[in-house]
Amino acid sequence: MIYNIYAMRDELTGFLPPTYDINDAVAMRNFRVAILRSSDSIHYMPSDYSLYRLGLYDSDTGRLIVDEVPTFLMRGEPAADSAPAAKPKRTTKTTQK
C-alpha cells in the first residue's frame, strides 16, 4: 500500500519525526487532534507548528519516494481555532409527586 509521509515543523527546532497517513485530509485531521489533545508545547503554542507532506512510502517494497521540497499543508493556529464547541451537559428532568 502507498502511504504519504508527513512531518510537523516546529518554527524553533525544525522538522519532527515523520508519520504516515493515507491522504492529506486524514493527516490534517490527525494534526488538529494532536494540537487539541496534547499536553505539551504544540497545544499551548500551536502557531509555532505547521504540517508538511514529505513524500511517499510503499509498504509492499519498503521504498521511500521523497519530494524535492516539502509541501506545506496547514499551520497549527487555524487547527486550534477549529476546535469543536463543548457539548452541552445533559440534564435530567425530575418530577414531583
Side-chain angles (χ1 to χ4, degrees), residues 30-39 42-43 79-84:
N30 290 337
F31 180 56
R32 287 185 195 100
V33 170
I35 289 170
L36 297 173
R37 294 196 174 200
S38 177
S39 61
I42 191 172
H43 178 77
D81 293 341
S82 67

Side-chain angles (χ1 to χ4, degrees), residues 4 10-11 13 16 18 35-36 50 57 62 74 76 80 82 89 97:
N4 288 319
D10 180 340
E11 297 293 326
T13 62
L16 283 80
I35 289 170
L36 297 173
S50 299
Y57 167 66
M74 68 182 298
S82 67
K89 290 185 178 178
K97 294 183 180 184

Side-chain angles (χ1 to χ4, degrees), residues 31-71:
F31 180 56
R32 287 185 195 100
V33 170
I35 289 170
L36 297 173
R37 294 196 174 200
S38 177
S39 61
D40 59 16
S41 62
I42 191 172
H43 178 77
Y44 297 103
M45 302 298 291
S47 61
D48 284 353
Y49 294 86
S50 299
L51 180 66
Y52 288 82
R53 184 178 355 96
L54 305 179
L56 300 171
Y57 167 66
D58 185 333
S59 65
D60 294 328
T61 65
R63 185 172 179 210
L64 294 170
I65 303 167
V66 181
D67 297 343
E68 281 188 42
V69 178
T71 302

